[in-house]
Amino acid sequence: MDQEAQSSQSSEAAAKAVLLEECEEQFGLLQKLQNEIILTDTEANDDQSNEAVNRLIAVTSELEQWQEMEPKLLTTSPEVLLAVGKEELQRLNNQLKMVLSCSQAKLDAQKKILKREQTWQAEKKEALNAVCEKITRLQLENEKSEHSVLQDMKRKINNLKDYHSSLMEMLSDMLAEHFPLPDPQGNGTKKKRAAAYDAEMNLISLSEIIERLTNKTLETPHDPYVITDDTFWPPYTEMLLRNGIATRHPEDCNKIRLENFFGI
């Protein structure tokens, strides 16, 4: 094997040497032709135009001959051609290896970029799903909260209405019991005497007087006065005025209003 490798190397070296000799011969021939052309240019006569035309014709003819001529190899030696072809293939192989290495490096870089982008996309997708879940949960909680607040408000309003009704009933019972309407005959219970006197004189009870004053104050706060007609029993009207529950109109003594307890 070693002898074969040495013989192959020696044959390649010999082929290169032969090829270099032939190249030097051709280069010498080119130099000789170039010198002849330069010498011809220096010996040109005064009739330069005719000489230029003749030279153009000659160059054109030579060009046509070169175009029709098939190129010949500098040498036909199989060893020389093998060595030159082998060297050219090695050079091409090295260039292709460099191209492959660059392409592989670019491919690896693109793979890293793709992996990084996929990781970023997965993180963003996970964050988006978390945000969507939180929004959905908050919407459900908000709906439940609004519904519960509304129900709680309705329940409180109903309780307040019930409490108000019970207070009004208690107040009405208390006023009917302790502040009945007068009974001229003076017999029977207080409620019976008040009902009989109310039917004859058309008087209203103390509870109704207070209710009228309250409704008037709430409905028309700009004109809260109520006219004290014949249905108002004067002792009850005087009692409301003396105890600071009601006050008279400054210009009309027949009008009273509920005292301004809450700055209305």
XYZ file of all heavy atoms in Angstrom, residues 210-253:
365
model
N -101.392 63.973 61.742
C -99.929 63.821 61.600
C -99.576 63.246 60.239
O -98.594 63.648 59.596
C -99.390 62.946 62.745
C -99.592 63.638 64.091
C -97.916 62.639 62.530
C -99.212 62.801 65.291
N -100.377 62.316 59.743
C -100.116 61.712 58.429
C -100.226 62.749 57.314
O -99.416 62.789 56.399
C -101.080 60.556 58.191
C -100.805 59.795 56.897
C -101.720 58.595 56.743
O -102.489 58.302 57.676
O -101.664 57.951 55.667
N -101.265 63.623 57.424
C -101.419 64.674 56.419
C -100.238 65.637 56.434
O -99.711 66.019 55.385
C -102.719 65.459 56.668
C -103.973 64.725 56.251
C -105.170 65.678 56.305
N -106.425 64.989 56.015
C -107.611 65.592 55.914
N -107.689 66.913 56.117
N -108.697 64.916 55.647
N -99.819 66.038 57.618
C -98.674 66.937 57.723
C -97.398 66.307 57.146
O -96.617 66.966 56.432
C -98.454 67.329 59.185
C -99.536 68.203 59.833
C -99.266 68.350 61.331
C -99.598 69.569 59.164
N -97.216 65.026 57.446
C -96.017 64.324 56.953
C -96.052 64.206 55.430
O -95.055 64.474 54.735
C -95.917 62.943 57.599
O -95.906 63.070 59.013
C -94.651 62.229 57.148
N -97.174 63.771 54.862
C -97.290 63.609 53.404
C -97.107 64.944 52.688
O -96.447 65.011 51.642
C -98.636 63.000 53.046
C -98.764 61.558 53.519
O -97.747 60.876 53.720
N -99.984 61.093 53.710
N -97.671 66.014 53.253
C -97.545 67.322 52.631
C -96.095 67.784 52.614
O -95.602 68.361 51.632
C -98.420 68.330 53.391
C -98.500 69.720 52.769
C -99.188 69.697 51.416
C -99.386 71.089 50.859
N -99.979 71.116 49.518
N -95.375 67.523 53.705
C -93.965 67.922 53.777
C -93.114 67.156 52.772
O -92.202 67.719 52.139
C -93.434 67.696 55.201
O -94.225 68.457 56.123
C -91.978 68.125 55.311
N -93.415 65.863 52.598
C -92.621 65.038 51.686
C -92.995 65.278 50.221
O -92.122 65.262 49.346
C -92.797 63.555 52.031
C -92.273 63.120 53.401
C -92.605 61.659 53.654
C -90.761 63.338 53.486
N -94.265 65.486 49.940
C -94.715 65.632 48.555
C -94.418 67.015 47.999
O -93.992 67.154 46.858
C -96.213 65.338 48.462
C -96.554 63.869 48.721
C -98.051 63.631 48.780
O -98.824 64.619 48.626
O -98.457 62.482 48.986
N -94.670 68.060 48.810
C -94.424 69.440 48.349
C -93.600 70.163 49.392
O -94.125 70.954 50.187
C -95.757 70.181 48.113
O -96.523 70.140 49.327
C -96.546 69.546 46.993
N -92.303 69.896 49.428
C -91.468 70.546 50.450
C -91.392 72.063 50.294
O -91.094 72.764 51.257
C -90.084 69.899 50.248
C -90.115 69.377 48.858
C -91.521 68.996 48.573
N -91.659 72.591 49.083
C -91.663 74.043 48.897
C -92.917 74.695 49.484
O -92.936 75.896 49.733
C -91.563 74.367 47.400
C -92.701 73.799 46.604
N -92.751 72.460 46.233
C -93.849 74.371 46.128
C -93.866 72.245 45.541
N -94.551 73.372 45.478
N -93.989 73.908 49.698
C -95.242 74.411 50.291
C -95.784 73.364 51.252
O -96.742 72.640 50.952
C -96.249 74.727 49.192
C -97.519 75.370 49.757
O -97.469 75.903 50.892
O -98.560 75.328 49.064
N -95.182 73.238 52.436
C -95.560 72.153 53.338
C -96.769 72.447 54.238
O -97.108 71.624 55.102
C -94.296 71.993 54.193
C -93.726 73.366 54.262
C -94.050 74.021 52.956
N -97.427 73.567 54.064
C -98.504 73.965 54.992
C -99.816 73.289 54.619
O -100.132 73.102 53.437
C -98.681 75.482 54.982
C -97.517 76.202 55.645
C -96.438 76.644 54.880
C -97.515 76.424 57.020
C -95.391 77.305 55.474
C -96.466 77.082 57.610
C -95.397 77.517 56.841
O -94.353 78.169 57.443
N -100.560 72.924 55.671
C -101.882 72.301 55.531
C -102.920 73.222 56.173
O -102.688 73.768 57.275
C -101.912 70.920 56.208
C -103.309 70.308 56.144
C -100.889 69.995 55.552
N -104.060 73.388 55.507
C -105.127 74.251 56.046
C -105.879 73.500 57.139
O -106.324 72.361 56.954
C -106.089 74.669 54.931
C -105.337 75.488 53.866
C -107.234 75.479 55.502
C -106.197 75.836 52.677
N -106.016 74.120 58.277
C -106.744 73.512 59.408
C -108.236 73.870 59.278
O -108.688 74.920 59.744
C -106.186 74.036 60.737
O -106.281 75.454 60.735
C -104.744 73.619 60.934
N -108.973 72.979 58.626
C -110.424 73.221 58.442
C -111.193 72.660 59.629
O -110.604 72.359 60.683
C -110.875 72.623 57.112
C -110.474 71.156 57.001
O -110.126 70.555 58.043
O -110.490 70.598 55.886
N -112.502 72.470 59.432
C -113.358 71.997 60.523
C -113.093 70.555 60.922
O -113.535 70.119 61.997
C -114.834 72.133 60.106
C -115.233 73.598 59.924
O -114.559 74.463 60.528
O -116.185 73.860 59.164
N -112.392 69.792 60.088
C -112.102 68.393 60.437
C -110.987 68.285 61.465
O -110.782 67.233 62.051
C -111.728 67.607 59.169
O -110.558 68.201 58.576
C -112.871 67.604 58.171
N -110.208 69.361 61.675
C -109.136 69.352 62.673
C -109.729 69.774 64.017
O -110.308 70.844 64.150
C -108.024 70.336 62.264
C -107.147 69.862 61.161
C -107.641 69.719 59.865
C -105.822 69.548 61.394
C -106.835 69.297 58.854
C -105.000 69.126 60.377
C -105.510 68.983 59.090
N -109.599 68.897 65.011
C -110.109 69.239 66.342
C -109.145 70.223 66.983
O -107.947 69.927 67.137
C -110.253 67.975 67.178
C -111.050 68.191 68.426
C -112.143 68.973 68.595
C -110.778 67.593 69.693
N -112.616 68.909 69.858
C -111.791 68.048 70.589
C -109.839 66.684 70.184
C -111.855 67.655 71.914
C -109.921 66.292 71.507
C -110.904 66.785 72.362
N -109.554 71.417 67.337
C -108.647 72.469 67.829
C -107.752 72.048 68.975
O -106.575 72.446 69.009
C -109.608 73.590 68.211
C -110.787 73.388 67.325
C -110.942 71.918 67.192
N -108.218 71.272 69.983
C -107.294 70.887 71.065
C -106.075 70.093 70.566
O -104.955 70.283 71.064
C -108.177 70.050 71.991
C -109.550 70.566 71.753
C -109.606 70.881 70.307
N -106.302 69.228 69.579
C -105.174 68.446 69.055
C -104.234 69.353 68.251
O -102.997 69.202 68.320
C -105.677 67.301 68.200
C -106.239 66.150 68.992
C -107.011 65.164 68.376
C -105.997 66.032 70.362
C -107.521 64.108 69.079
C -106.514 64.978 71.090
C -107.276 64.005 70.448
O -107.787 62.957 71.169
N -104.783 70.292 67.518
C -103.942 71.232 66.774
C -103.101 72.065 67.733
O -101.895 72.258 67.518
C -104.822 72.148 65.916
O -105.627 71.366 65.043
C -103.972 73.102 65.106
N -103.737 72.534 68.816
C -103.005 73.322 69.801
C -101.932 72.484 70.490
O -100.827 72.980 70.792
C -103.983 73.895 70.822
C -103.381 74.944 71.737
C -103.009 76.210 70.993
O -103.576 76.467 69.919
O -102.113 76.915 71.500
N -102.245 71.232 70.755
C -101.261 70.350 71.400
C -100.030 70.169 70.509
O -98.877 70.194 70.981
C -101.910 68.993 71.699
C -100.960 68.014 72.396
S -101.656 66.368 72.575
C -101.730 65.849 70.858
N -100.227 69.976 69.194
C -99.104 69.813 68.266
C -98.250 71.075 68.205
O -97.017 71.008 68.162
C -99.625 69.466 66.862
C -100.319 68.109 66.717
C -100.884 67.948 65.312
C -99.347 66.962 67.012
N -98.919 72.246 68.266
C -98.182 73.499 68.211
C -97.380 73.739 69.483
O -96.222 74.171 69.446
C -99.141 74.662 67.965
C -99.843 74.685 66.598
C -100.922 75.760 66.572
C -98.839 74.904 65.481
N -97.984 73.472 70.659
C -97.309 73.717 71.930
C -96.147 72.768 72.179
O -95.169 73.141 72.850
C -98.307 73.636 73.076
C -99.282 74.791 73.097
C -100.176 74.712 74.320
N -101.094 75.857 74.385
C -101.940 76.086 75.388
N -101.983 75.229 76.427
N -102.734 77.142 75.368
N -96.254 71.562 71.667
C -95.193 70.562 71.892
C -94.117 70.594 70.800
O -93.230 69.728 70.771
C -95.792 69.166 71.964
C -96.573 68.932 73.245
O -95.993 68.655 74.308
N -97.889 69.093 73.177
N -94.158 71.576 69.924
C -93.114 71.728 68.915
C -93.168 70.716 67.800
O -92.152 70.516 67.096
N -94.306 70.047 67.624
C -94.450 69.080 66.542
C -94.862 69.787 65.255
O -94.470 69.392 64.152
C -95.455 67.984 66.930
C -94.954 67.233 68.171
C -95.675 67.011 65.777
C -95.955 66.233 68.707
N -95.626 70.832 65.367
C -96.089 71.607 64.222
C -95.885 73.081 64.499
O -95.645 73.496 65.649
C -97.559 71.310 63.929
N -95.946 73.893 63.447
C -95.794 75.349 63.568
C -96.758 76.036 62.612
O -97.115 75.487 61.570
C -94.344 75.765 63.238
O -94.220 77.169 63.408
C -93.974 75.409 61.816
N -97.227 77.253 63.029
C -98.192 77.969 62.208
C -97.492 78.730 61.086
O -96.296 79.032 61.146
C -98.996 78.963 63.056
C -99.989 78.343 63.985
C -100.889 79.396 64.606
N -101.770 78.824 65.604
C -102.945 78.244 65.310
N -103.360 78.177 64.053
N -103.707 77.744 66.282
N -98.281 79.076 60.075
C -97.806 79.916 58.994
C -97.616 81.333 59.549
O -98.446 81.823 60.309
C -98.825 79.916 57.850
C -98.280 80.502 56.577
N -98.197 81.861 56.359
C -97.817 79.896 55.456
C -97.693 82.069 55.148
N -97.454 80.894 54.578
N -96.535 82.004 59.184
C -96.299 83.336 59.769
C -97.331 84.380 59.354
O -97.482 85.398 60.048
C -94.909 83.703 59.248
C -94.704 82.849 58.052
C -95.426 81.579 58.317
N -98.059 84.163 58.259
C -99.031 85.149 57.777
C -100.464 84.640 57.809
O -101.399 85.444 57.694
C -98.676 85.558 56.345
C -97.318 86.234 56.228
C -96.984 86.593 54.791
O -97.814 86.274 53.907
O -95.914 87.183 54.558
N -100.652 83.333 57.928
C -101.999 82.750 57.925
C -102.103 81.793 59.092
O -101.475 80.730 59.099
C -102.257 82.026 56.606
C -103.728 81.627 56.448
O -104.494 81.805 57.414
O -104.086 81.120 55.362
N -102.931 82.180 60.098
C -103.049 81.354 61.306
C -103.841 80.080 61.082
O -103.864 79.192 61.935
C -103.677 82.175 62.436
S -105.348 82.742 62.039
